[in-house]
Amino acid sequence: MTTTTHNLASLGEFGFIARLRQKLRDQAGRTDVVLGIGDDCSACTLPAGELLLTSTDLLIENIHFRRDWTSLYALGRKSAAVNLSDIAAMGGTPRYLHLGLGLPQDLALDELDAFCDGFLDECRAAGALLCGGDTCRSQTGMFISVSVQGTVPADQLVRRSGGQPGDRLYVSGTLGDSALALHLLRQGQAPPPTLARRHHQPTPRLALGRAVAVAGLAHAMIDLSDGLLADLGHILQQSQLAACLDPAALPLSADVRRHLNHQPEDLDVVLRGGEDYELLFSAPPEAAPRLEQLAVRLALPLTAIGSLQPGEGLWLCRPDGSRQPVEARGFNHFQSGQPA
C-alpha cells in the first residue's frame, strides 16, 4: 500500500526539497551551474567581462498579496517576475534565482506544487534557473523571499543616474492596470481579466531592457514598482534633474480609460498606483526613430510621456502651457495603511 502525503507536516522540509528537485530535471544540461540545490551554497560560473547583478524582494501575505485573491500558480510567477524586472531595469540578462519560503501549515501540497510550478515556469520563460533557497514554518501567513542574479557587460550597464537634460522620458506598455485591479479588489469587485492578469501575473520587460542596453539607447532606466511618480523621482534624484510629464500622453488601457471617464479624480491610480513593472527610461531625442523600430520588433508600445530638464522638481505640463507641481511620491510600506 502506498501512502499519499497531503500536508507539509507529513512531507517535512527535506521532503519538500526532494519534491522540488524533481521539478528541476530540465536544468541538468546547464553547464554554468556547478552546484545547484542540495549543498550549502550554489556555485555558478559567470561570463567573462560581465558584471554580476543581484537584487532581493520580499512578498508577505496580507501586505503584498492575499491568497483569497490570487491563484498560487500566479503568485509563483509573480514572485519570480518582480525580481526579474529588476534585472531588466539594469539592461541585464537574468541567470539565477534563490527562493526562501515561510509556509503556513494550512497550505495544501497541491497549492505548494502550483506555486512552485508558477515560479519555475517564470524562470524558464526568462532563461533563468532556480539554484537554491530555504524553507521554514510560518505562523503568520506565507512569506516569500527571492534573490535574483544576472549579468551585464560593464559598458552596457544602465543606471538611474545617467539622465541628461533634454532627454525624452519613455515608458513601455500601459500604466495603472495593476493598481486599478487592486483598487477594485479592495472594493469587493472582481476586476476584468486583463486587469487581474496585470496585477497577479506581471511580465518583466527583459527583452526591452536588454535591447536598449545593447543599442545604448537609454541614459537612465528603472522598473515601475512603486508608481510612476515615485520611480521617476528616483531617476530625478540620482540624475540631479527635473522633469515635465504630459498627463495626456500617459499610455492607458481601455479598462483604465473607462474608469477615469467615470472617476477622473482617480488619476492617482495611474500616477502613484505601483506594480506596473513596465520600464521607464530616458533617451536622447535622436533615439526616437530607433525606439519606434524597437517597439515594432518587440510588439510592445513605447510612449514618450515627458522630458528631463535642468534644475529640480516634477511637474505635470499641459498643452496650454500650464504646469502643476506634483510630489514624487508613490507606495510606501511604512506609511501605507492598506495591506495587499
Side-chain angles (χ1 to χ4, degrees):
M1 177 185 295
T2 57
T3 302
T4 303
T5 302
H6 294 289
N7 57 59
L8 288 171
S10 57
L11 182 65
E13 178 183 2
F14 298 109
F16 167 67
I17 294 172
R19 192 181 184 93
L20 183 57
R21 291 183 73 177
Q22 290 293 314
K23 298 177 180 291
L24 298 174
R25 289 178 174 175
D26 61 339
Q27 295 187 178
R30 286 283 294 259
T31 58
D32 54 331
V33 180
V34 179
L35 287 174
I37 290 177
D39 222 300
D40 288 318
C41 293
S42 63
C44 306
T45 60
L46 299 175
E50 298 203 10
L51 299 175
L52 177 66
L53 305 172
T54 305
S55 182
T56 300
D57 271 320
L58 297 176
L59 290 91
I60 302 171
E61 188 168 357
N62 296 323
I63 299 295
H64 298 92
F65 66 92
R66 283 176 44 174
R67 276 191 279 158
D68 57 335
W69 285 353
T70 183
S71 73
L72 269 289
Y73 177 83
L75 179 61
R77 294 205 71 143
K78 183 173 184 176
S79 300
V82 300
N83 284 268
L84 293 164
S85 184
D86 287 332
I87 301 297
M90 306 293 288
T93 299
R95 299 197 181 276
Y96 316 113
L97 291 94
H98 293 76
L99 172 63
L101 290 173
L103 300 172
Q105 287 189 298
D106 67 346
L107 190 69
L109 282 188
D110 59 349
E111 293 179 300
L112 181 57
D113 281 339
F115 175 87
C116 292
D117 288 342
F119 191 92
L120 294 175
D121 281 350
E122 193 66 36
C123 290
R124 293 184 184 104
L129 302 178
L130 175 63
C131 287
D134 192 22
T135 58
C136 65
R137 183 180 63 183
S138 170
Q139 296 181 332
T140 56
M142 196 171 177
F143 184 99
I144 305 162
S145 174
V146 181
S147 292
V148 62
Q149 293 178 311
T151 62
V152 64
D155 61 349
Q156 295 176 9
L157 180 69
V158 187
R159 310 182 187 194
R160 300 175 180 182
S161 58
Q164 299 179 19
D167 278 359
R168 292 178 180 173
L169 289 167
Y170 288 87
V171 70
S172 63
T174 56
L175 302 175
D177 299 312
S178 175
L180 180 54
L182 180 58
H183 176 74
L184 295 173
L185 286 167
R186 285 172 171 162
Q187 291 185 334
Q189 302 178 48
T194 52
L195 295 184
R197 181 177 178 84
R198 290 273 287 160
H199 179 65
H200 296 307
Q201 201 170 312
T203 300
R205 301 303 188 185
L206 291 161
L208 173 61
R210 191 75 198 102
V212 297
V214 169
L217 297 176
H219 286 157
M221 186 156 60
I222 192 171
D223 73 321
L224 296 180
S225 56
D226 295 327
L228 174 63
L229 295 186
D231 290 318
L232 174 56
H234 295 314
I235 288 180
L236 300 185
Q237 181 183 40
Q238 294 291 324
S239 298
Q240 299 182 8
L241 291 171
C244 230
L245 287 180
D246 179 1
L250 300 178
L252 308 177
S253 67
D255 288 312
V256 172
R257 288 190 184 279
R258 278 193 293 270
H259 177 79
L260 292 180
N261 284 340
H262 292 94
Q263 301 185 55
E265 70 278 3
D266 280 355
L267 184 61
D268 269 10
V269 167
V270 177
L271 296 175
R272 306 186 193 276
E275 292 206 316
D276 291 307
Y277 296 105
E278 299 293 347
L279 292 183
L280 171 70
F281 61 94
S282 76
E286 60 268 23
R290 297 175 69 187
L291 288 171
E292 291 174 6
Q293 295 170 0
L294 180 60
V296 172
R297 177 163 67 84
L298 296 179
L300 176 64
L302 298 177
T303 306
I305 60 171
S307 62
L308 295 181
Q309 302 176 353
E312 297 180 357
L314 175 56
W315 293 272
L316 298 182
C317 302
R318 293 177 170 80
D320 62 6
S322 64
R323 302 204 311 176
Q324 173 190 346
V326 289
E327 185 180 355
R329 176 180 54 82
F331 180 79
N332 184 315
H333 281 283
F334 297 100
Q335 295 176 354
S336 174
Q338 290 187 298

